[in-house]
Amino acid sequence: MTVTLNFHGAAGTVTGSCYRIVHPQGQFLIDCGLFQGNKSVRQLNLKPLPFDPKKIDFVLLTHAHIDHAGLLPKLYKFGYRNKMIMTEPTAGLLEFLLPDAAGIQESEAERETRKRGRRGDEPAQPLYTMEHAIEALKHRVTTKYGEWIEPGPGVRARYWNAGHILGSASIELEVKNGDGQTIRLLFSGDIGPDEKVFYLEPDAPADFDYILCESTYGGRERDDYTLGQRREALMTEINEALKRGGNLVIPAFAVERSQELLHDIGLLIRDGAISPNLVFLDSPLASRVTGVYKKYQSMFEDVELGADELFNDPRFRIVESVEESKAINAIRGGAIIMSASGMADAGRIKHHLRNNLIRANATVLFVGYQAPGTLGQIIQSGAREVRIHSDLVPVRATVHSLGNYSAHADHSELMAWIKDRLPAHGALFLTHGEDEERAALRSAIIATGGLAGDQVILPLLDDAFELRAEGVAGVRKPEAPRIDLSQMSSDWSNAYASFIIDLSHLLKETESDARRLSIMAALKAELAETAKTPTPPPIVRDSGAIHGEPSGE
Ligand SMILES: [Zn+2]
């Protein structure tokens, strides 16, 4: 019997990381992440798992991000009771992240139930409950960087610092096949950039049979910067915002970004480079996560603040209670307000944006990626008006973006990481990226001559590769795809939202009611005509040559 590697997530999408290895002595998972993004992709969370959770011997977890760990409670719900192996800081983060994810699932189900109730339909069931999350947490087992463990018969594993977020790891694996051969694999997890506060650059050994590498930023480069240069850019943004007289609002992810900002802002205050009146981190989750960072701060590198100074300036207010959060509304200037979510599509940040966007002297600073269709992306793209909690809010504040904060390696850094890990005698699989990014990274790797075209594989969802030490012995495609691939990267609901916003602007700017009525009549007639004509076949961006099947390039 051979070793088979199954791609159950992050294959054709960025999210939902989940790989399953079946070997002569059992089977196990690497990551079990939630699918995030457009509606079609999120549907995958609700569909049955493509394997029996009761037959999985153990789970190896690369890091605590929800797109890597967010389906662990679902795994528990469907009968999984074995070990979930991770670093100690990852276990610390999951303590808060899994219940938070369960809370979101429960409130989404409640909202859906209310909607169904009005139609007289059955109540909606959450993907999983708080109880599933809390029970799943009991199965955490921790491991240290650099130490071999034997999680089950025929399998050895070792965790390496991936420099991405607190506790993040790349996982090295040795799996015995039926002929006594050992297959050596490396799973990158998510890889951090070289210039990052808290951690050294990502680390792992070289020389494997198979390497799996993430490709989130394939083909995309960030400006070169050092930690000092980035802090200087932040200083300039903060000083300009304070000079405008209003507040500075920063949407920030609860994990890692909030703590990086607290570190950098604390350092700038200590050095007298900025002088805000108060700095708020208004998010119960970010507050608890900051506690975990404090607990493991002895593991940090590249930190310029002492243990008692870190996240601890007298001007900092780390806010959990609703009352305290509401009190921030009264502050009209001189404060830095950081809050989650990072893309402003949920959480308390929406209140702060509603209060401050309308003020011409306020500033909104984006420090992270804003996915298409999120409130953050709509504000960032220059909308003059946005909808928040069913109110239309005019955007009068200054809106800026700072691109240098990232937890991900860019194209050159991914290339360097791969080069340092080669050779990959069998193949290199590129995962965790959109098609364009994966294809760009693939072309660049082949161009450098490190690997042949048929050795750089872009697997698709639920593809199964039979691995031998000398190379891939076969590829099995799923009998019935769990999702229509043409829908993975397109979704009508985002396009609809932006169409409606554009239409309402157009009508508002039209000079007379008579003209408005005639535009609407023309549009209605055109829509009725278009709806009658047959739909063209969907555009499928995926080409078989680069997905799974060796192309001979
Ligand atoms: Zn991640």
Side-chain angles (χ1 to χ4, degrees), residues 63 65 67-68 164-165 190 407-408 432:
H63 65 289
H65 271 152
D67 64 320
H68 292 255
H164 170 60
I165 63 162
D190 286 359
H408 278 278
H432 200 283

Side-chain angles (χ1 to χ4, degrees), residues 111-177:
R111 207 174 318 137
E112 178 64 24
T113 297
R114 276 199 299 275
K115 229 196 281 174
R116 290 185 187 185
R118 287 197 289 271
R119 300 191 302 247
D121 293 345
E122 292 283 297
Q125 292 303 319
L127 176 61
Y128 50 78
T129 62
M130 192 62 78
E131 199 189 329
H132 294 131
I134 287 164
E135 287 301 319
L137 287 171
K138 293 181 182 161
H139 296 267
R140 288 169 299 168
V141 171
T142 62
T143 184
K144 288 194 169 64
Y145 290 127
E147 281 180 12
W148 279 110
I149 53 168
E150 215 181 298
V155 184
R156 290 214 304 162
R158 190 154 62 148
Y159 283 54
W160 296 92
N161 162 44
H164 170 60
I165 63 162
L166 182 68
S168 69
S170 298
I171 302 177
E172 178 185 6
L173 269 174
E174 291 183 358
V175 185
K176 283 214 162 54
N177 72 10

Side-chain angles (χ1 to χ4, degrees), residues 2 18 56 68 72 99 129 163 181 191 197 217 227 236 246 251 260 285 299 311 323 441 446 466 485 492 515 518 534:
T2 52
C18 182
I56 302 295
H68 292 255
L72 288 173
T129 62
Q181 246 187 347
I191 302 169
V197 74
Y217 280 89
L227 291 180
T236 307
E260 283 179 287
L285 182 62
M299 296 173 81
F311 314 135
E323 294 70 37
L441 190 61
I446 295 165
E466 206 181 298
L485 288 172
W492 76 277
R515 182 87 186 109
S518 87

